[in-house]
Amino acid sequence: MRLSDLYKYLIENYINLPEKSVVVLAGLIKAQSANKFEDYEHIEELSLEVRKHGSYPMLDISSESLKIRTLKEVPEEKYYVPSDYYSNWVSLFDLIIDVGFPKFNNLKAEMVYGETKKQDIDDSIQQIFRHLLISGKKMLIPNFPKDSLADYYNLDLISLTNFYLNTFQMISQKMVTFSMRVVGLLENTITTKFSIQDNEDMFIHFEANNEEIVNETDTFSNTITYLPFGYVKCTSKSSSLNCHFVAERFYYKNRIWTNVEVKFSDGNLTYLKFENPEIEQEFVKTSLINRRDLIEVYIGTNNGVEDFSNYNYYDRCIQNNLSIVFYDEEYNLIQISTNKIKI
């Protein structure tokens, strides 16, 4: 599959968009990117496919500079947006596709201009999600491979694109059956236990929240869906995590480390060993110790990909991958991953 074919596939097959639907296509003009109109290029292609399908695109395009100026120049008493604005906005469309993800360094910019505005931004995001849920409408976040993504993580765009496209190649009943086995493991035991291939002494144990198990394997059925698909996600209390394994990939901010040995006991980090020690890794350790309580666990189900792309959102869908996601005090994501769990 080529990227040019993917737009049609998403609209007609994956989303299965009904005719005469109104689709919001959202994105950013990125001042710091070598290709600042990269979001618009995706929006233009998707817009054409929506029209060819007999539906109607609604473009929602902003810019990084406008967002920063709004934060800086609009007074706090004028910045707040009431709830009925979001309910009225959501009522205008049937689906939203946000091609602006991932957004880099926005939180730091928001924090510069005051805690009140930061809280208003958090509230507005929650309002959008809440009104989508109430109205039964959906948001798709394609997470397309882009120049800004490759630059931020120092990755090869061609390799990212090939990985992304390969996740759409192998949708099969075998893949669906595998995902249901994973869901069963999470639902039917108090403590979910995984062992590690080729090492009987290593393990990952945690308690899954049965009310928050999400299967993103082959259907567009959840309120908010991140691509590429091919994973089962659950939340868990940090205190239930007991594990000892070698994380083949350790992701934090725009850095990635390989073969990091980690141990947790009742949610407490007891051991962290990097393959190639660096001074800054003490800061990483501190961030992991002082993290927020909630953790997310992703178990990959997509058999169209095998090797790491080194982008955390892509790698978590590899079949037999287990990724544990933490959040530091500023909500930066910390992810540890292995492709060697036994299921």
Side-chain angles (χ1 to χ4, degrees):
M1 181 183 289
R2 298 169 303 176
L3 193 57
S4 57
D5 299 322
L6 181 62
Y7 303 111
K8 181 177 181 180
Y9 170 82
L10 289 176
I11 297 300
E12 293 190 355
N13 300 93
Y14 181 65
I15 297 173
N16 194 20
L17 185 71
E19 289 189 15
K20 299 183 179 180
S21 298
V22 176
V23 181
V24 169
L25 301 171
L28 278 174
I29 297 172
K30 298 177 178 177
Q32 302 304 316
S33 174
N35 179 8
K36 65 181 182 179
F37 295 106
E38 60 184 359
D39 284 3
Y40 181 77
E41 292 169 3
H42 291 296
I43 286 174
E44 184 172 293
E45 296 297 331
L46 285 168
S47 181
L48 287 170
E49 290 302 332
V50 169
R51 288 295 290 125
K52 291 175 186 177
H53 190 67
S55 292
Y56 313 107
M58 180 189 299
L59 274 55
D60 183 355
I61 300 173
S62 186
S63 70
E64 289 179 332
S65 58
L66 176 58
K67 286 182 175 292
I68 296 301
R69 288 193 62 190
T70 302
L71 284 163
K72 184 177 181 180
E73 298 179 23
V74 175
E76 285 195 354
E77 65 272 15
K78 302 290 186 181
Y79 192 82
Y80 175 75
V81 179
S83 176
D84 57 356
Y85 167 84
Y86 295 105
S87 62
N88 292 335
W89 181 66
V90 169
S91 70
L92 297 175
F93 60 83
D94 302 292
L95 167 71
I96 179 169
I97 302 177
D98 184 358
V99 305
F101 183 88
K103 300 176 175 68
F104 306 116
N105 297 324
N106 280 3
L107 183 60
K108 288 183 180 179
E110 290 156 7
M111 292 176 70
V112 168
Y113 298 110
E115 187 65 29
T116 300
K117 288 185 180 180
K118 178 181 176 296
Q119 185 61 51
D120 286 345
I121 292 167
D122 292 342
D123 289 346
S124 67
I125 293 170
Q126 293 303 315
Q127 289 280 5
I128 292 170
F129 292 168
R130 186 171 72 86
H131 288 296
L132 286 171
L133 187 64
I134 291 172
S135 63
K137 296 177 181 180
K138 298 176 183 177
M139 173 184 286
L140 177 67
I141 301 176
N143 201 1
F144 288 126
K146 294 182 285 193
D147 287 323
S148 59
L149 173 61
D151 291 345
Y152 186 75
Y153 290 104
N154 194 27
L155 301 174
D156 178 66
L157 180 59
I158 294 175
S159 297
L160 278 176
T161 302
N162 290 337
F163 184 103
Y164 185 85
L165 294 176
N166 285 339
T167 64
F168 294 90
Q169 304 281 30
M170 296 290 292
I171 303 171
S172 64
Q173 186 56 45
K174 184 178 180 180
M175 182 172 156
V176 175
T177 301
F178 181 84
S179 73
M180 295 310 298
R181 282 180 57 203
V182 173
V183 171
L185 283 171
L186 297 174
E187 287 182 337
N188 297 325
T189 57
I190 295 176
T191 300
T192 304
K193 300 180 179 181
F194 293 102
S195 56
I196 306 297
Q197 298 170 17
D198 305 323
N199 196 322
E200 295 182 357
D201 296 327
M202 293 194 171
F203 60 91
I204 301 172
H205 299 170
F206 61 92
E207 294 179 12
N209 182 343
N210 288 351
E211 296 181 358
E212 295 187 16
I213 297 173
V214 177
N215 190 350
E216 290 283 10
T217 293
D218 67 328
T219 58
F220 181 54
S221 57
N222 298 300
T223 301
I224 300 172
T225 298
Y226 289 83
L227 295 180
F229 56 73
Y231 58 83
V232 176
K233 171 191 172 184
C234 68
T235 59
S236 175
K237 289 183 178 179
S238 184
S239 59
S240 76
L241 178 63
N242 290 278
C243 67
H244 176 205
F245 71 104
V246 174
E248 294 161 84
R249 297 294 186 273
F250 186 114
Y251 316 80
Y252 185 42
K253 298 185 177 179
N254 66 335
R255 291 294 307 275
I256 180 168
W257 295 270
T258 59
N259 300 322
V260 180
E261 187 173 356
V262 294
K263 290 183 183 180
F264 282 87
S265 177
D266 297 328
N268 297 308
L269 179 68
T270 59
Y271 187 77
L272 184 69
K273 182 182 179 181
F274 288 86
E275 189 175 40
N276 298 303
E278 301 172 13
I279 294 175
E280 68 181 20
Q281 288 163 0
E282 192 61 34
F283 167 73
V284 175
K285 182 178 180 180
T286 300
S287 297
L288 197 52
I289 291 172
N290 297 326
R291 69 190 186 275
R292 295 182 178 272
D293 183 57
L294 184 70
I295 64 173
E296 299 168 346
V297 179
Y298 293 79
I299 300 161
T301 62
N302 195 312
N303 59 350
V305 285
E306 296 180 354
D307 298 324
F308 287 100
S309 71
N310 292 332
Y311 174 41
N312 58 296
Y313 277 92
Y314 287 7
D315 291 343
R316 61 179 61 166
C317 73
I318 301 169
Q319 192 167 105
N320 291 314
N321 174 281
L322 188 145
S323 293
I324 304 172
V325 174
F326 311 91
Y327 293 92
D328 70 12
E329 292 179 309
E330 295 181 355
Y331 291 98
N332 293 301
L333 178 150
I334 307 169
Q335 179 173 317
I336 54 177
S337 295
T338 176
N339 280 350
K340 296 183 177 180
I341 60 168
K342 293 182 182 179
I343 298 180

